[in-house]
């Protein structure tokens, strides 16, 4: 059983340096030097065992995901990530568990040149609470409140994969490897968010389900939206399912951490170019209209209503317990 400071020393020994970290882990607080003229973008998200990841998830995947969901929020703002902090709650002072959590956490941090600059370490049920900090040029942040009537609605990647993996897990069925990877190691769309800054009118990351999250954009922007189910891009693994089976995953499944964004039709080509440059596929799935709420349409034009619109923490039973 390691002591708290031993654990912190293990963490400190592994973090990469960044030029703008004047003082990192080890003092009462970190000293950070933001670039002049840029706005600081701050976000925080916690991951709790049994709520945000199934019991039995590999610790390295938990570590990865704890940072990924936060970098996804920065991506959805069009921000460039820089720093993060980690509040760690552990049932026991298990150094091996800390090492394994960090394997995933720091692997993703390296990919995005994010420095872990501080945190807290306490005893309790396994959970990771991460804050992430990034920068954006003034006026260039991607907000939820900028969607306009007539805008296209777009989504990156292939939403629904994580929900497909979860459905198989819950059914006790074999889980497709590609789908499982999407659930356990989501790739925050940081490059896409940066590329969309200046082109998209509004943006959100899909954590609670595409229709539900697009609904947040609509509420903030005081508009409505229509989504064509036929236009939802399906990964090869999902395309093997009947549409009626996979639509709920694609339209309402959370945990994919793709970006849903809006942009005027005259930006179509520029968006395709910008996202190709970022190496991220995207599809047009609908449009913004007058009114409120999100309508989903079947290929024949009839309205489709999902059984469960999206995950709600204080209303739904945990999908993982
Ligand atoms: P304090 O009692 O002043 O809060 P702590 O013992 O909690 O000090 O932390 C000591 C140092 O280690 C601080 O710089 C803190 O930010 C850092 N730290 C503690 N836990 C973590 C963690 N899980 N990840 C990264 N840094 C941590
Ligand atoms: Mg502390």
């Amino acid at each position: 059983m390691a002591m708290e400071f031993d654990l912190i020393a293990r963490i400190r020994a592994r973090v990469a340096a960044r030029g703008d970290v004047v003082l990192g882990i080890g003092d009462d607080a970190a000293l950070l030097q933001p670039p002049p003229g840029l706005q600081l973008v701050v976000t925080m998200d916690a991951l709790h065992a049994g709520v945000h990841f199934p019991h039995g998830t590999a610790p390295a995947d938990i570590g990865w995901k704890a940072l990924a969901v936060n970098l996804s929020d920065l991506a959805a703002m069009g921000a460039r990530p820089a720093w993060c902090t980690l509040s760690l709650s552990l049932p026991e002072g298990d150094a091996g568990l800390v090492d394994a959590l960090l394997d995933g956490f720091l692997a993703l941090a390296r990919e995005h040149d994010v420095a872990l600059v501080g945190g807290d370490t306490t005893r309790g049920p396994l959970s990771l609470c991460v804050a992430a900090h990034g920068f954006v040029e003034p006026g260039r942040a991607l907000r939820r409140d900028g969607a306009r009537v007539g805008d296209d609605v777009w989504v990156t990647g292939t939403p629904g994969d994580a929900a497909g993996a979860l459905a198989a897990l819950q059914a006790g069925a074999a889980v497709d490897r590609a789908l499982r990877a999407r659930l356990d190691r989501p790739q925050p769309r940081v490059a896409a968010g940066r590329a969309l800054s200046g082109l998209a009118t509004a943006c959100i990351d899909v954590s609670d389900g595409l229709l539900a999250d697009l609904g947040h954009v609509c509420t903030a922007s005081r508009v409505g939206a229509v989504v064509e189910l036929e236009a939802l891009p399906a990964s090869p693994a999902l395309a093997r399912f009947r549409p009626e089976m996979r639509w709920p995953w694609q339209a309402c499944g959370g945990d994919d951490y793709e970006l849903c964004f809006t942009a005027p039709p005259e930006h179509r080509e520029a968006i395709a170019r910008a996202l190709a440059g970022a190496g991220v596929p995207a599809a047009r799935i609908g449009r913004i209209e007058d009114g409120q709420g999100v309508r989903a349409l079947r290929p024949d034009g009839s309205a489709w209503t999902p059984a469960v619109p999206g995950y709600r923490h204080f209303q739904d039973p945990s999908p993982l317990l």
Side-chain angles (χ1 to χ4, degrees):
M1 224 58 15
M3 301 282 287
E4 178 194 338
F5 357 93
D6 296 332
L7 295 176
I8 296 172
R10 286 180 97 84
I11 297 172
R12 186 182 182 181
R14 291 184 62 178
V15 307
R18 246 184 87 105
D20 52 10
V21 180
V22 183
L23 190 58
I25 296 173
D27 213 303
D28 293 313
L31 275 179
L32 307 169
Q33 184 60 62
L38 297 190
Q39 289 175 338
L40 186 61
V41 186
V42 179
T43 185
M44 173 183 272
D45 257 321
L47 249 64
H48 303 300
V51 180
H52 298 96
F53 51 87
H55 291 290
T57 302
D61 291 335
I62 297 170
W64 173 287
K65 195 162 180 177
L67 182 58
V69 300
N70 281 277
L71 297 187
S72 177
D73 282 322
L74 293 184
M77 296 301 292
R80 174 157 50 87
W83 311 309
C84 65
T85 53
L86 167 63
S87 178
L88 200 52
S89 163
L90 302 161
E92 296 154 50
D94 180 345
L97 174 59
V98 172
D99 288 345
L101 291 168
L102 285 182
D103 286 343
F105 189 97
L106 294 177
L108 183 62
R110 263 193 306 278
E111 282 189 19
H112 293 275
D113 189 24
V114 169
L116 177 60
V117 299
D120 199 25
T121 306
T122 58
R123 182 183 192 141
L126 179 62
S127 83
L128 290 79
C129 182
V130 175
H133 311 76
F135 313 121
V136 71
E137 299 76 14
R140 303 270 297 190
L142 301 172
R143 304 163 46 135
R144 295 182 181 184
D145 59 4
R148 296 289 170 263
V149 173
D151 280 356
D152 295 319
V153 177
W154 296 71
V155 72
T156 61
T158 53
D161 294 339
L166 202 53
L169 272 179
Q170 284 165 335
V175 186
D176 179 275
R177 286 173 63 97
L179 296 185
R180 182 77 207 231
R182 293 268 289 157
L183 177 66
D184 289 336
R185 295 251 170 172
Q187 290 286 346
R189 297 299 197 183
V190 172
R194 297 291 295 155
L196 289 171
S197 163
L199 290 173
T201 47
C203 184
I204 190 167
D205 69 321
V206 179
S207 54
D208 297 334
L210 180 59
L211 300 184
D213 287 318
L214 177 56
H216 298 319
V217 168
C218 287
T219 303
S221 301
R222 297 164 188 275
V223 293
V226 56
V227 167
E228 315 271 358
L229 294 172
E230 204 174 23
L232 296 179
S235 65
L238 275 203
R240 290 199 289 268
F241 292 88
R242 300 183 280 119
E244 291 76 11
M245 181 99 187
R246 61 178 156 81
W247 284 339
W249 301 335
Q250 293 173 284
C252 312
D255 260 3
D256 286 300
Y257 301 97
E258 296 295 348
L259 298 182
C260 175
F261 60 97
T262 59
E266 56 266 30
H267 283 172
R268 281 178 192 171
E269 276 179 29
I271 285 170
R273 262 198 311 278
L275 290 180
V280 176
R284 272 190 290 120
I285 59 168
R287 63 200 164 274
I288 297 295
E289 58 184 20
D290 242 336
Q292 54 183 15
V294 180
R295 303 185 295 131
L297 301 183
R298 292 196 185 86
D300 67 4
S302 65
W304 178 82
T305 313
V308 181
Y311 184 64
R312 298 156 302 181
H313 273 283
F314 295 101
Q315 291 173 49
D316 299 338
S318 170
L320 304 175
L321 292 174

